Amino acid sequence: MIRRLLLSLLALPLFVFAADAPPNIVMIISDDHLWSDYGFMGHKTIQTPNLDRLASESLTFRRGYVTSSLCCPSLATIVTGLYPHQHKVTSNDPPLMPGAGKKKGQAKGPEFEAGREVMSKHLEEAGTLPKMLAQKGYLSLQTGKWWQKHYSRGGFTHGMTEGGRHGDKGLDIGRKTMQPIYDFIGEAKQQQKPFFVWYAPMMPHDPHTPPQRLLDKYKDKAPSEHVAKYWAMVDWFDETCGALVKHIDDNGMKENTIFVYVSDNGWITNPKTGRYAEKSKQSQYDGGLRSPIMIRWPGKVTPKMSDDLAQSIDLAPTLLKAAGLEPTKAMPGINLLDAAAVTARKAIYGECFTHNFVDLNVPASSLRWRWIVEGSTKLIVPNQANQPDDVVELYDLKADPTEEKNLAAGSAEKVKELSAKLDAWWKP
């Protein structure tokens, strides 16, 4: 009897046993990267062959967006699946103390550290993707950009960052080495556990210090040396992504690994100064808010270039579903692998906040702009408390992708309609 039972079990197809094995997840997050600065997005000079290949193998949303154009709140949204006004990490740094002078000058004071602790507690209270994935036995690794103190504060089981403002030792990833990721993957395989990798190198973020061989590719093609350095940084970042994908694929993990890609916010190089130009980082415009979003899962996700709207709040619920978990009720995003949900979505929303908090516990106090994209129409509504001289802006993104012509004055009904939807979403 027992022998017959064993024989019948052995006769079952292998996928019956493998079906419950959750997929590995690798999340690639570029830093200060304009939505159009990829070969597959149409840039005529920058070479991104590895990301182009990843896009061709992915469900790629060309009209992806983050929720905020500032890195700390944007990253907090990616790891929690919540809007900044929900997770309360709206800004990069605590409030400036009276007489503090330059904002960087307070980064070592006790008030600053106390403020950072409040930010980390907000993130813990919101709940994070690594902590939720642990329910399925995942090991998780933090590398690169990480604002919320020790990596364990985000629920990661492994990590590089120990508490520095941007990420301290974590910032070695990409620019100096990829080995910590490879070692972690080896450990997870040895333990026969699924893994989650947070690869968020500070690339192409400044300092723009690319290898000379890459700078030489662009220095005669760019409008200035500053721009050439940024373009070379994008190329360098692309090389690291290629190395990471190759490591997964060459080690037999391709079919059971989900790759997800997004940028934390946009960047346009000022050709004269090398700093960010208007309408990019920290702004209310697509130059700061838009990013392609990719999902590669061979055999499970059909590659496709999509012009449907997608957003960074969708990544957590999408990955939780893929891992066999349910998103929390607080998560407003959709499962991007649910075609019906993607098609049914009509609009996306977002918010931009001050660089330093006004009040660490009151998100509305730091609000600069709210925005909505419905179809190809975008409405931007300023918060008069922090942007007293700004006006309401309305753009046709299809006809005017760089948001040059404000149509609000001649479109009162459309402004009223979209403003009502914005208020229904979140009215501070």
Side-chain angles (χ1 to χ4, degrees), residues 188-205:
K189 286 187 70 176
Q190 188 175 24
Q191 294 187 35
Q192 297 184 320
K193 290 189 175 183
F195 60 79
F196 170 68
V197 173
W198 173 275
Y199 177 53
M202 200 161 77
M203 300 174 78
H205 192 292

Side-chain angles (χ1 to χ4, degrees), residues 42 64 82 96 127 154 162 183 187 220 225 234 251 274 358 414:
L82 304 175
L96 284 168
E162 298 176 352
D183 291 344
E187 181 179 343
D220 296 327
E225 184 177 4
V234 174
N251 282 278
V358 174
K414 178 57 73 171

Side-chain angles (χ1 to χ4, degrees), residues 49-111:
N50 297 294
L51 289 170
D52 294 352
R53 187 180 307 110
L54 185 64
S56 72
E57 297 173 349
S58 301
L59 171 57
T60 298
F61 295 91
R62 289 177 289 209
R63 296 189 67 205
Y65 282 80
V66 293
T67 56
S68 182
S69 55
L70 191 61
C71 50
C72 186
S74 181
L75 292 171
T77 286
I78 293 169
V79 82
T80 63
L82 304 175
Y83 290 110
H85 75 262
Q86 292 179 290
H87 58 62
K88 297 184 179 179
V89 184
T90 64
S91 306
N92 274 3
D93 288 315
L96 284 168
M97 296 297 106
K102 292 183 179 180
K103 56 193 173 195
K104 289 185 179 179
Q106 66 164 144
K108 296 181 181 179
E111 296 90 351

Side-chain angles (χ1 to χ4, degrees), residues 141-383:
L141 172 71
Q142 171 275 326
T143 71
K145 207 79 168 283
W146 183 253
W147 292 75
Q148 308 310 329
K149 297 202 168 184
H150 195 271
Y151 63 82
S152 61
R153 303 294 293 269
F156 293 94
T157 60
H158 299 62
M160 297 177 69
T161 293
E162 298 176 352
R165 177 176 175 268
H166 276 142
D168 53 68
K169 295 177 184 177
L171 301 184
D172 285 350
I173 206 72
R175 288 177 182 256
K176 295 182 180 179
T177 180
M178 298 292 285
Q179 196 60 43
I181 296 178
Y182 303 155
D183 291 344
F184 165 77
I185 291 173
E187 181 179 343
K189 286 187 70 176
Q190 188 175 24
Q191 294 187 35
Q192 297 184 320
K193 290 189 175 183
F195 60 79
F196 170 68
V197 173
W198 173 275
Y199 177 53
M202 200 161 77
M203 300 174 78
H205 192 292
D206 64 353
H208 296 149
T209 54
Q212 188 65 41
R213 62 181 173 81
L214 294 179
L215 180 58
D216 289 344
K217 287 173 64 174
Y218 298 105
K219 63 183 181 181
D220 296 327
K221 300 176 182 178
S224 77
E225 184 177 4
H226 292 303
V227 175
K229 287 181 177 179
Y230 163 72
W231 287 0
M233 287 298 300
V234 174
D235 197 323
W236 191 16
F237 167 68
D238 179 79
E239 288 186 350
T240 72
C241 295
L244 183 51
V245 174
K246 186 175 188 299
H247 184 83
I248 292 290
D249 292 358
D250 287 354
N251 282 278
M253 295 175 281
K254 181 175 182 177
E255 278 67 35
N256 197 42
T257 299
I258 301 175
F259 269 94
V260 175
Y261 174 85
V262 69
S263 178
D264 69 346
N265 56 250
W267 171 279
I268 301 171
T269 305
N270 183 319
K272 294 181 179 179
T273 67
R275 296 293 297 151
Y276 58 92
E278 292 182 341
K279 294 194 172 182
S280 67
K281 182 175 179 172
Q282 296 195 45
S283 84
Q284 68 273 45
Y285 301 107
D286 275 21
L289 294 164
R290 187 172 166 184
S291 167
I293 290 175
M294 311 179 207
I295 306 169
R296 190 192 85 161
W297 193 3
K300 300 291 181 65
V301 175
T302 303
K304 176 186 176 183
M305 288 287 176
S306 172
D307 287 323
D308 290 316
L309 291 169
Q311 201 166 18
S312 56
I313 55 164
D314 301 327
L315 297 179
T318 299
L319 294 172
L320 288 171
K321 278 284 192 179
L325 294 165
E326 287 301 313
T328 69
K329 292 181 180 179
M331 288 182 180
I334 64 172
N335 178 5
L336 291 175
L337 304 184
D338 181 344
V342 172
T343 301
R345 168 184 268 162
K346 302 303 178 187
I348 57 172
Y349 307 86
E351 53 208 357
C352 302
F353 297 85
T354 54
H355 182 279
N356 288 69
F357 283 83
V358 174
D359 187 314
L360 284 158
N361 298 300
V362 183
S365 69
S366 305
L367 180 66
R368 300 180 73 187
W369 305 281
R370 292 175 301 150
W371 54 271
I372 175 175
V373 174
E374 184 180 71
S376 62
T377 304
K378 180 179 178 182
L379 178 75
I380 302 165
V381 177
N383 177 23

Side-chain angles (χ1 to χ4, degrees), residues 123-139:
L123 192 82
E124 288 176 319
E125 291 168 0
T128 65
L129 184 58
K131 192 169 184 179
M132 296 172 200
L133 290 173
Q135 299 172 50
K136 280 284 187 175
Y138 278 78
L139 298 182

